[in-house]
Amino acid sequence: MPKIVDHEARRAELAEAMWRVVYRDGAAAATVRSIATEAGWSPGALRHYFTTQTELLAFAMEHVVAKATRRFYAGDWTGPVREVVQRMLEEVLPLDQQRVREMEVWLLLAARSPTDPVARARIAEADDGVRRATELAVVTLADAGLVAADRDVPSETARLHALVDGLALHALLHPDVMPPDRVRATLAHHLDDLLRPAG
Amino acid sequence: MPKIVDHEARRAELAEAMWRVVYRDGAAAATVRSIATEAGWSPGALRHYFTTQTELLAFAMEHVVAKATRRFYAGDWTGPVREVVQRMLEEVLPLDQQRVREMEVWLLLAARSPTDPVARARIAEADDGVRRATELAVVTLADAGLVAADRDVPSETARLHALVDGLALHALLHPDVMPPDRVRATLAHHLDDLLRPAG
């Protein structure tokens, strides 16, 4: 199916152009016009692939989620369990400029998701990836005997997932009160609590 | 200063019209045109007060934050301390349709805040209100002897604030996995942990 392969390659090329613009100029700068210019296409040619900014953001998000998922599963997760789990979770937090930009795109899509099914589907996919990472973190700690026996894995996963997303939001919106070191320390403090019996 | 008073009254009238539209039709429906129609004004007259949708959303947010703050401080916070604190925190979570709509407006503004100073100022104000509510929750529990002596109030406030905002986000974006009952249970479970020594 050479035509389909070509179509996919062209879409990937556009996603890469979009991310170059986002990393350089910020998420708000990603418009159909600016991405067309970056890719060396006419806006009309780009509109053959994406007709709205939401579709553009959704495809760029899909591209980043796929890359992050591959990187996550190919990662070197050897070492002391507690340190490995901390690193796994830091991977999904906006602790450097690149991931801050990715989260800005996430936030633009999330804001559209109550009314836009395309945005909603991509947000669900991205958030499911983070939920699975937090679940893996809790299960890994539990398997290593680092979670108190009476703690419930699904409850602790839901709580850790909320904490991780809240920290991500504060790191993005209020970096003055939640700089990277404080994000890491708050996460470490939370993992400490999992060691203690729930009641 | 009768002119200023009148100006403020007109702005409050517009904020009320905006919230009627948001509660009825959703946050995305709040445009300069739809708010003008709801208020019985011409779009031109409305543009005398607000020139962009961000300014409109920011003013509506300010209005809701002021109302929520008054309600919070006038609230009946009597009863067993632990129950009171749970109720205080539930007050800032999107557990009914009205607060879901308010959070949709918050999310639209938050998505604009990395590039828009007007949005950023309103988000900072709204988020500071939630941070103060979580601080009051931790201090109230600590004063009642319901927080382990070795726990650090600023750290626990930062963690509780992240948890509350993460839960709010999941309640809004993924109500299927985080319905109101699960939000309340996760919050209650987190407060239980504060009773136990940190290390």
Side-chain angles (χ1 to χ4, degrees):
Chain A
M1 299 180 290
K3 266 180 107 174
I4 289 169
V5 170
D6 183 60
H7 188 63
E8 284 306 308
R10 298 272 278 172
R11 283 166 64 94
E13 191 184 308
L14 287 174
E16 296 286 355
M18 166 149 181
W19 282 108
R20 283 198 301 277
V21 170
V22 169
Y23 293 145
R24 191 182 64 220
D25 306 325
T31 61
V32 169
R33 181 163 294 274
S34 72
I35 305 307
T37 304
E38 178 72 21
W41 293 29
S42 70
L46 194 140
R47 286 202 184 84
H48 179 69
Y49 290 83
F50 307 104
T51 54
T52 65
Q53 198 193 14
T54 299
E55 285 175 21
L56 197 66
L57 292 168
F59 180 65
M61 196 78 236
E62 191 183 338
H63 187 73
V64 148
V65 168
K67 267 175 70 173
T69 304
R70 279 197 300 274
R71 201 172 57 229
F72 194 87
Y73 286 107
D76 175 17
W77 304 118
T78 55
V81 171
R82 173 58 195 272
E83 281 171 34
V84 166
V85 166
Q86 175 91 20
R87 276 196 285 130
M88 268 182 184
L89 294 170
E90 286 180 10
E91 191 70 28
V92 298
L93 287 161
L95 296 172
D96 59 33
Q97 186 59 17
Q98 179 174 320
R99 285 174 290 166
V100 163
R101 294 300 199 200
E102 289 169 8
M103 190 166 172
E104 285 175 14
V105 172
W106 177 90
L107 199 55
L108 284 168
L109 271 179
R112 291 165 193 209
S113 80
T115 48
D116 188 316
V118 171
R120 192 154 56 244
R122 283 300 158 265
I123 287 297
E125 188 191 53
D127 290 3
D128 198 54
V130 178
R131 192 194 53 72
R132 280 184 285 116
T134 55
E135 191 171 43
L136 186 60
V138 176
V139 168
T140 302
L141 288 171
D143 287 351
L146 294 172
V147 172
D150 71 340
R151 287 193 181 269
D152 175 57
V153 168
S155 297
E156 295 301 345
T157 297
R159 185 161 69 123
L160 181 61
H161 187 190
L163 182 86
V164 162
D165 276 357
L167 285 175
L169 207 53
H170 294 176
L172 179 73
L173 298 177
H174 310 293
D176 49 329
V177 294
M178 199 46 90
D181 279 0
R182 193 146 198 236
V183 171
R184 291 189 188 95
T186 307
L187 183 61
H189 170 41
H190 189 79
L191 297 180
D192 287 339
D193 261 0
L194 297 180
L195 284 161
R196 276 171 278 284
Chain B
M1 298 180 291
K3 266 181 107 174
I4 289 168
V5 170
D6 182 59
H7 188 63
E8 284 306 308
R10 298 272 276 172
R11 284 166 63 92
E13 191 185 309
L14 287 173
E16 296 286 357
M18 167 151 179
W19 282 108
R20 282 198 302 277
V21 170
V22 168
Y23 293 144
R24 192 182 62 221
D25 307 324
T31 60
V32 169
R33 181 162 295 275
S34 72
I35 306 306
T37 303
E38 177 72 22
W41 295 28
S42 70
L46 193 140
R47 285 200 185 86
H48 179 68
Y49 291 83
F50 307 105
T51 53
T52 65
Q53 198 194 15
T54 299
E55 286 175 20
L56 197 67
L57 293 168
F59 181 64
M61 196 78 236
E62 190 183 338
H63 187 74
V64 148
V65 168
K67 267 175 71 173
T69 304
R70 279 197 300 273
R71 201 172 56 229
F72 194 87
Y73 286 106
D76 175 19
W77 304 118
T78 55
V81 171
R82 174 59 195 274
E83 281 172 33
V84 166
V85 166
Q86 175 91 20
R87 276 196 286 129
M88 269 181 183
L89 294 169
E90 286 180 8
E91 192 70 27
V92 299
L93 286 161
L95 296 172
D96 58 34
Q97 186 60 17
Q98 179 173 320
R99 285 175 290 166
V100 163
R101 294 301 198 199
E102 289 170 7
M103 190 167 171
E104 285 175 14
V105 172
W106 177 90
L107 199 55
L108 284 168
L109 271 180
R112 291 166 193 209
S113 79
T115 48
D116 188 316
V118 171
R120 191 153 58 243
R122 284 299 159 266
I123 286 297
E125 187 191 56
D127 290 3
D128 197 54
V130 178
R131 192 194 52 71
R132 281 185 285 116
T134 56
E135 192 171 43
L136 185 60
V138 176
V139 167
T140 302
L141 289 172
D143 287 352
L146 294 173
V147 172
D150 71 340
R151 287 194 180 268
D152 175 58
V153 168
S155 298
E156 294 301 347
T157 298
R159 186 162 69 123
L160 181 60
H161 188 189
L163 182 85
V164 162
D165 276 358
L167 285 174
L169 208 52
H170 293 177
L172 180 73
L173 298 177
H174 310 293
D176 48 328
V177 293
M178 198 46 91
D181 279 0
R182 195 148 196 234
V183 172
R184 291 189 189 96
T186 306
L187 183 61
H189 170 42
H190 188 78
L191 297 180
D192 287 340
D193 260 1
L194 296 180
L195 285 162
R196 277 171 277 284

